[in-house]
Amino acid sequence: MPPSPKWVELAEHIRKQIASGELSPGDKLPSTAQLCQIHGVSAIVVRNAMLTLKAEGLVVGVPGVGVYIAER
């Protein structure tokens, strides 16, 4: 079975952090640049992961401010 795309892996990593309580509602995620550096991925990978998590209702973006873990 081929490996998952990087953005799928990043989204799953963040999902697990939310499920475990490591990330709580209202917590701000690191910036795109910081996530790129932490996970060794490109900005496109981070963007796709964030779009997926936003579509699932797990995170909310505040333009010009950042991305936060959504209230449950």
Side-chain angles (χ1 to χ4, degrees), residues 25-63:
D27 285 353
K28 185 177 180 183
L29 289 175
S31 69
T32 297
Q34 290 169 324
L35 287 169
C36 289
Q37 185 176 21
I38 292 166
H39 296 283
V41 296
S42 70
I44 295 293
V45 168
V46 172
R47 183 174 79 78
N48 287 340
M50 291 303 115
L51 287 172
T52 298
L53 295 170
K54 285 177 187 176
E56 294 172 3
L58 294 174
V59 300
V60 293
V62 179

Side-chain angles (χ1 to χ4, degrees), residues 2 15 23 25 35:
R15 272 190 216 97
L23 292 173
L35 287 169

